[in-house]
Amino acid sequence: MAKKRKQTEEVVKRDLLKEVGEGIKKYFTDFGTAVNKGDWGTRASLIVMGAGFIARKQFAKGILITLVQIMYFIVFAVYSVPYLTKFGTLGTVQMEQTFDPVTMQQTTNNYDNSFLILIHSMISLFLLVVFVMYYIHNMKAAYKVEKDAWAGRHVNNILEDIADMVGKKFYISLLTLPTIGIVLMNILPILVLVAIAFTNYDQNHMPPASLFTWVGFDNFKALISSGGMTITFGYAFRKVLGWTLVWAVLATFTNFIGGIVLAVLINSKGVKLKKMWRSLFVIAIAVPQFVTLILVRNFFRDDGIVNTLCANAGITDFFKSIGLLGANMNFIPFLTSKGWAKVMIVLINIWVGIPYQMLIATGVLMNAPQDQLESARIDGASHTQIFWKITVPYILVVQGPALITDFVRNINNFNVIYLLTQDVYTTTDQMLANSNAKEVDLLVTWLFRLTNEYYNYKMASVIGIIVFIICVLFTLVSYSKLMAGGREEDYQI
Amino acid sequence: MKKRAIALAMSAIMMTATMAACTSQETPPAAGAPTEAAPENNTGAEPTEAEVVEVAKADDSAVGNLIAATTDTVKLVVWASEEDQELTQDLINKFEAQYPEVKFDIQLGACSESTAKDNVLSDPTAAADVFAFADDQINDLVNAGALQEVAAAYTYDVSKENVAGSVAAATVNGKVYAYPMTADNGYFLYYNKSVFSEDDIKSLDKMVEVAGAADTQIGFELANAWYLFGFFSAQGTDLYARLAADGVTNECNWNEGVGVDIANAILGYVDTGVFVKAADDASAVSNMKDGKYAAIVNGTWSAAAISEALGDDYGAAKLPTFTAGDKEYQMSSFAGYKLIGVNPHSAYVGWSMLLAEYLTNEESQVARFEARGLGPANIKAASSETVKADPAIAAIAAQAEYATPQRIGGNFWDPAKSLGEILGNGNPDGTDVQTLLDNAVEGINAPVSAN
């Protein structure tokens, strides 16, 4: 059974690769076919993009497409060219300002702004790629129209096309806005950020006053080679990466299991006022997380309210007597000593995170396979057995992808760590301190301090790329393991 | 399929227009956020030997020329701290009234002096035309080309009317880059007069003895590099922590000479249980108010809160001496100033300079003291009787003699803070003190990532 599963899996993988390869090949051969086999009208589209449609008497469409082409050429010449010509150097003219004390006027030379050059070049390149793709597509479309006309099939006129856009192809109209949004908000900024990893954009090279330029893989080398960004970088990197992974595992699974247990408890038959209990927990979600976290941080300070309560209630003394606290400590270092802080962070994270998981688990539990639960009960399985043998595997399969997402999110869980420890936790590990790190830092919080205080944008991009790679690798591996052989089918009804 | 691709291409092309319109406002990816380091105010340079640069007095006709040349509305943005809003708005109104022939549109925004650098450097071209900042940020601001050189003075003599230390703090590489606004951004001793006499507070040994007998404590933010500096760079120790010649890395020798003695002295004081590590400014001040601490080391920003809580028992003085090895040292401190800078990217640099001058002239500095109790940098304003009578400002003036300029690179803060935390906890792991200092100094002096 297992072997067969593995085989199918491999077949699926090979098919996928093959499909992608063939898709790419087809994309270009179709274009070649259109150029080779098309008639004069279609071929004229190589120069005037609307020609193919005009030859088929689709004048409006042909003119519109030609207009788009002309517009792009103008944009390219007026907007793209000035930036793209400087893209190789990211600018050469440094800003110079002179102030005339007599007229009190400032004159500034016509300087290059590396950052603007980078951004606008990226946009220009992006537009170029979009245009080339559109150009290729247009060629194929012209050829298709040619064939349609030749075979006597109906060819849409522009009005019919427009009608389609609000009719049966309405989804395209609907998706236009989100697509623009994704391009503007996600793709372009990410491209710019990736590009910055290959420049020397930092505090000593800050536009507009100074220029930055390309440095190839130097930043990556600096990160990997001994020393890195700080003198104890390798040591700090290992420590921080270790705690990041431990934290991600702990945070993900404590919340996951806690949420399920809570959901099962509230769902179980004896519990009264189910809705009230659920609402009580959901209220915790309603308060913005950063408010909660900062409040909690203040509660647990060395001289905070919790410590006062503990001292008054004798808990501090009790901890002292069982050796959890040093003899000269008159407070519990909830967020100020290494061990306590790590435990507290995980506990506080459980408290702020469980309600979400409880809601999800409640939903999942309501759809649990009743027939299996029923038959298990008839067969005389105990509650614990049912929980571990049926409920948990079922939830694991249904929520597997969500778990992986949670894990990745926790690797980058800036809020909880930063808000709970910033300005409170001071490391006593001097090796870490020399790299501006703390025992409780995640890669992101460490990155934030390293780069934000020194405007080290280039290294921020490099570490960002590396964190991204770690997350991608983890996600790919765990998805393929979790989804191996389509285990979810075992639980489909 | 075809139509969808067309739609995509169309939307991409439409996007061009949008992009072209908005790109000029693009900001760098990681925007600024509060930096580590000292409490809300960092500090600056006392002119121990720094030579004071003179700012040339400009021709009187210059302002007339500027007024004549200004035909459109002068649009300026001013950033001042949250607490300074009301006062600054008053001053701006008075400034506008001085030039009735010019139309002004001056907007006031809130930005703390301690974080001005972060906000300005995230995009200097979009930052305010005139902004207040703490003088420890001046190096970075000048390096990033975000400060206009004070090439000439128009309404008052910037370099002569302000105390020499404040002008030195506004000077980088022999050029003045900012207008001194206050001279009180350092720290000193607050004490409770019902516990200590004026003689007690001269020496930390005596203070510990007296406070111990009175069953109170002395709070000191050891795990804060800004305050810890006061111990190690005490008078006569030959120890220093300062910016190296490259303007980025540090030179620190706390691990040499009497450094070990001083670290051991701190451990000794901590060991008494009377001299304790205060968690941060807020907790130091609140413990002072509650009477848990009989003395703390803090700055003028806490003066109002403490004097209100202690009433007649409120006392402020220079920092005490302490004993290390078998010698007595006077505790040092960082001295600090708040400055006003002009953004060279301003469209109205001339007017911005005039406004900055106005916001820092004698009259404005007196107004600032009266409204907010901030110690003036202006010599005449600082020598008035009311200013001198203020205990906190008198204390900072007394401490000034032992204060050191705060010219230190970013690598200072975390290693020194960690050292202070270990010492403040009484060195729980029993690490060799020399090793502790060596580690800290290695981090403080570490090279800053190059290329």
Side-chain angles (χ1 to χ4, degrees):
Chain A
M1 183 67 187
K3 202 176 170 193
K4 195 183 156 206
R5 217 176 249 171
K6 200 156 191 188
Q7 277 170 350
T8 26
E9 201 185 320
E10 268 168 22
V11 169
V12 169
K13 266 187 198 161
R14 235 179 291 135
D15 282 354
L16 192 72
L17 274 179
K18 218 167 148 192
E19 252 174 55
V20 171
E22 277 172 3
I24 293 173
K25 204 172 138 197
K26 188 168 181 296
Y27 184 80
F28 288 105
T29 44
D30 279 359
F31 176 70
T33 319
V35 175
N36 288 327
K37 302 233 176 106
D39 65 2
W40 63 271
T42 306
R43 285 188 193 173
S45 301
L46 280 174
I47 298 159
V48 179
M49 285 172 68
F53 292 101
I54 290 170
R56 262 26 94 187
K57 306 219 163 34
Q58 291 180 299
F59 295 110
K61 212 167 160 184
I63 290 168
L64 208 63
I65 290 170
T66 311
L67 276 178
V68 167
Q69 184 192 8
I70 294 170
M71 254 170 59
Y72 176 74
F73 282 170
I74 293 172
V75 165
F76 185 77
V78 175
Y79 167 77
S80 298
V81 169
Y83 288 112
L84 285 178
T85 48
K86 291 177 187 162
F87 188 56
T89 58
L90 293 179
T92 47
V93 187
Q94 180 113 13
M95 177 187 243
E96 273 166 31
Q97 292 184 313
T98 38
F99 180 75
D100 182 346
V102 179
T103 59
M104 299 183 75
Q105 300 297 330
Q106 178 101 292
T107 43
T108 307
N109 65 338
N110 189 13
Y111 63 96
D112 287 334
N113 184 327
S114 303
F115 193 65
L116 292 185
I117 293 172
L118 182 64
I119 288 181
H120 291 295
S121 299
M122 282 296 176
I123 296 170
S124 300
L125 289 176
F126 185 80
L127 286 180
L128 186 65
V129 169
V130 169
F131 178 76
V132 167
M133 283 169 66
Y134 178 55
Y135 181 81
I136 291 173
H137 171 84
N138 178 62
M139 215 39 220
K140 290 187 221 167
Y143 183 55
K144 183 173 175 287
V145 175
E146 179 195 333
K147 280 198 298 189
D148 281 353
W150 191 74
R153 281 192 290 264
H154 175 71
V155 176
N156 271 6
N157 64 27
I158 184 127
L159 289 177
E160 286 167 326
D161 274 339
I162 293 172
D164 266 1
M165 293 306 281
V166 293
K168 64 181 174 189
K169 287 187 178 160
F170 188 52
Y171 64 96
I172 294 176
S173 316
L174 272 184
L175 280 176
T176 310
L177 209 61
T179 310
I180 296 176
I182 287 171
V183 168
L184 279 181
M185 300 295 166
N186 282 346
I187 297 178
L188 280 173
I190 287 175
L191 284 179
V192 171
L193 282 181
V194 169
I196 285 174
F198 300 93
T199 69
N200 59 355
Y201 184 15
D202 60 13
Q203 190 169 5
N204 299 324
H205 304 90
M206 289 249 285
S210 40
L211 303 161
F212 63 80
T213 188
W214 300 109
V215 294
F217 281 91
D218 284 5
N219 298 329
F220 290 88
K221 282 183 205 148
L223 187 73
I224 297 160
S225 65
S226 65
M229 295 170 71
T230 51
I231 44 170
T232 52
F233 189 85
Y235 173 83
F237 188 80
R238 280 196 302 281
K239 279 251 171 175
V240 173
L241 182 66
W243 165 239
T244 305
L245 294 177
V246 169
W247 149 261
V249 169
L250 281 178
T252 311
F253 284 98
T254 51
N255 270 1
F256 180 67
I257 292 166
I260 293 172
V261 169
L262 197 60
V264 169
L265 281 180
I266 294 179
N267 267 5
S268 56
K269 282 194 177 133
V271 176
K272 286 176 186 158
L273 298 172
K274 286 185 172 135
K275 282 187 181 162
M276 186 198 77
W277 295 119
R278 226 169 269 149
S279 314
L280 275 182
F281 282 104
V282 171
I283 286 174
I285 300 181
V287 181
Q289 209 183 37
F290 86 96
V291 177
T292 324
L293 290 173
I294 289 178
L295 277 178
V296 170
R297 180 183 76 184
N298 288 339
F299 289 163
F300 285 99
R301 289 166 65 108
D302 287 351
D303 52 359
I305 187 162
V306 177
N307 254 312
T308 317
L309 288 175
C310 286
N312 290 344
I315 297 173
T316 314
D317 289 335
F318 171 71
F319 279 157
K320 258 190 221 177
S321 66
I322 61 169
L324 265 174
L325 282 179
N328 56 353
M329 302 277 275
N330 47 11
F331 57 85
I332 306 170
F334 286 115
L335 292 171
T336 49
S337 106
K338 183 170 67 175
W340 279 96
K342 286 185 173 176
V343 172
M344 283 310 294
I345 289 169
V346 172
L347 288 179
I348 293 169
N349 182 61
I350 290 175
W351 181 63
V352 297
I354 268 189
Y356 292 97
Q357 197 56 48
M358 179 202 73
L359 282 185
I360 299 169
T362 307
V364 173
L365 283 177
M366 282 175 177
N367 293 310
Q370 293 300 327
D371 49 344
Q372 293 186 12
L373 294 174
E374 189 94 31
S375 47
R377 265 194 293 274
I378 292 168
D379 288 350
S382 70
H383 280 296
T384 351
Q385 274 175 321
I386 293 177
F387 180 74
W388 286 111
K389 300 279 178 182
I390 299 180
T391 315
V392 169
Y394 166 74
I395 292 178
L396 261 182
V397 165
V398 175
Q399 282 204 258
L403 259 185
I404 294 168
T405 326
D406 269 2
F407 185 85
V408 170
R409 198 174 51 91
N410 276 323
I411 285 183
N412 290 321
N413 198 334
F414 183 83
N415 279 5
V416 170
I417 302 284
Y418 190 81
L419 293 176
L420 284 178
T421 60
Q422 181 68 6
D423 300 332
V424 176
Y425 187 89
T426 305
T427 178
T428 51
D429 183 337
Q430 291 186 301
M431 300 266 278
L432 284 181
N434 287 354
S435 284
N436 309 75
K438 302 171 187 172
E439 286 93 341
V440 291
D441 265 335
L442 300 184
L443 279 175
V444 269
T445 54
W446 183 37
L447 200 182
F448 179 77
R449 243 177 302 111
L450 264 184
T451 54
N452 190 57
E453 282 163 30
Y454 305 108
Y455 308 95
N456 202 340
Y457 300 120
K458 56 174 201 220
M459 288 318 267
S461 296
V462 171
I463 302 184
I465 290 173
I466 286 175
V467 172
F468 173 77
I469 292 173
I470 292 176
C471 292
V472 166
L473 281 181
F474 174 80
T475 313
L476 282 179
V477 168
S478 47
Y479 261 113
S480 62
K481 288 271 178 249
L482 199 77
M483 296 298 139
R487 250 178 51 201
E488 75 250 63
E489 279 160 24
D490 297 353
Y491 280 95
Q492 274 173 9
I493 302 162
Chain B
M1 207 45 219
K2 170 182 72 182
K3 303 279 161 42
R4 195 171 129 218
I6 294 177
L8 266 177
M10 291 288 265
S11 55
I13 283 155
M14 270 155 56
M15 186 192 76
T16 329
T18 345
M19 287 308 265
C22 71
T23 39
S24 61
Q25 287 148 22
E26 290 282 351
T27 45
T35 36
E36 177 75 357
E40 67 163 271
N41 338 45
N42 286 349
T43 18
E46 185 66 11
T48 29
E49 61 266 296
E51 119 190 53
V52 171
V53 185
E54 288 208 6
V55 174
K57 187 84 175 72
D59 195 345
D60 286 340
S61 63
V63 177
N65 290 341
L66 181 64
I67 293 173
T70 307
T71 49
D72 50 347
T73 307
V74 178
K75 285 185 187 158
L76 297 178
V77 176
V78 179
W79 282 349
S81 71
E82 189 68 59
E83 305 82 21
D84 252 350
Q85 296 289 303
E86 208 176 313
L87 172 77
T88 312
Q89 188 59 56
D90 269 3
L91 295 175
I92 289 173
N93 293 344
K94 285 184 192 159
F95 172 77
E96 288 180 2
Q98 277 201 337
Y99 304 98
E101 55 277 70
V102 181
K103 265 193 85 173
F104 287 103
D105 177 10
I106 303 181
Q107 301 291 328
L108 179 60
C111 169
S112 161
E113 288 100 353
S114 59
T115 56
K117 182 182 83 171
D118 302 308
N119 291 321
V120 171
L121 291 197
S122 65
D123 185 2
T125 51
D129 301 285
V130 177
F131 55 91
F133 64 98
D135 74 299
D136 61 296
Q137 303 161 18
I138 195 166
N139 260 317
D140 288 340
L141 286 168
V142 170
N143 285 342
L147 278 181
Q148 174 72 28
E149 189 200 338
V150 184
Y154 296 95
T155 53
Y156 77 95
D157 194 329
V158 178
S159 50
K160 290 222 179 79
E161 287 191 28
N162 288 305
V163 291
S166 67
V167 181
T171 306
V172 176
N173 298 333
K175 289 178 181 170
V176 178
Y177 280 96
Y179 302 82
M181 174 169 80
T182 74
D184 62 349
N185 218 7
Y187 49 92
F188 49 90
L189 183 77
Y190 284 107
Y191 66 100
N192 190 325
K193 283 185 174 168
S194 69
V195 178
F196 301 109
S197 72
E198 286 199 11
D199 272 343
D200 295 340
I201 53 153
K202 283 181 182 153
S203 124
L204 188 56
D205 295 311
K206 181 77 179 163
M207 284 179 73
V208 168
E209 192 188 315
V210 172
D215 205 20
T216 61
Q217 292 179 320
I218 300 163
F220 190 102
E221 288 172 55
L222 282 167
N224 183 328
W226 198 54
Y227 292 105
L228 186 70
F229 176 86
F231 269 104
F232 280 96
S233 289
Q235 293 285 302
T237 56
D238 282 333
L239 298 181
Y240 52 78
R242 63 187 178 215
L243 201 62
D246 64 4
V248 188
T249 55
N250 298 317
E251 295 174 337
C252 172
N253 67 347
W254 289 2
N255 57 342
E256 296 166 14
V258 293
V260 175
D261 289 346
I262 291 183
N264 280 325
I266 297 173
L267 286 171
Y269 286 121
V270 170
D271 204 36
T272 61
V274 176
F275 180 83
V276 295
K277 180 188 80 182
D280 54 31
D281 259 35
S283 90
V285 172
S286 78
N287 281 327
M288 182 80 188
K289 290 203 276 195
D290 296 349
K292 191 178 165 200
Y293 293 163
I296 58 169
V297 173
N298 217 293
T300 45
W301 53 92
S302 303
I306 296 173
S307 76
E308 195 179 314
L310 296 190
D312 290 342
D313 293 333
Y314 166 67
K318 74 165 180 61
L319 294 172
T321 61
F322 65 95
T323 316
D326 42 15
K327 277 181 73 182
E328 203 169 15
Y329 298 101
Q330 167 62 45
M331 213 183 277
S332 170
S333 68
F334 274 134
Y337 303 87
K338 285 179 188 165
L339 311 171
I340 286 193
V342 169
N343 189 335
H345 303 290
S346 166
Y348 304 94
V349 170
W351 284 111
S352 299
M353 290 173 84
L354 286 179
L355 177 57
E357 277 188 12
Y358 188 82
L359 291 176
T360 57
N361 67 17
E362 185 191 340
E363 194 186 326
S364 298
Q365 294 206 23
V366 170
R368 197 167 280 112
F369 170 75
E370 283 166 357
R372 300 229 22 244
L374 300 181
N378 185 288
I379 295 168
K380 279 190 215 149
S383 57
S384 80
E385 287 309 311
T386 41
V387 173
K388 280 184 171 167
D390 185 298
I393 291 178
I396 200 148
Q399 177 65 27
E401 166 177 1
Y402 314 108
T404 328
Q406 181 186 336
R407 284 289 177 270
I408 194 92
N411 275 344
F412 172 67
W413 305 105
D414 272 354
K417 181 179 179 162
S418 180
L419 174 68
E421 173 82 11
I422 296 171
L423 295 177
N425 291 343
N427 193 8
D429 298 338
T431 318
D432 178 39
V433 173
Q434 182 66 50
T435 313
L436 288 178
L437 292 174
D438 287 344
N439 287 341
V441 167
E442 190 187 4
I444 293 170
N445 291 346
V448 173
S449 69
N451 86 35

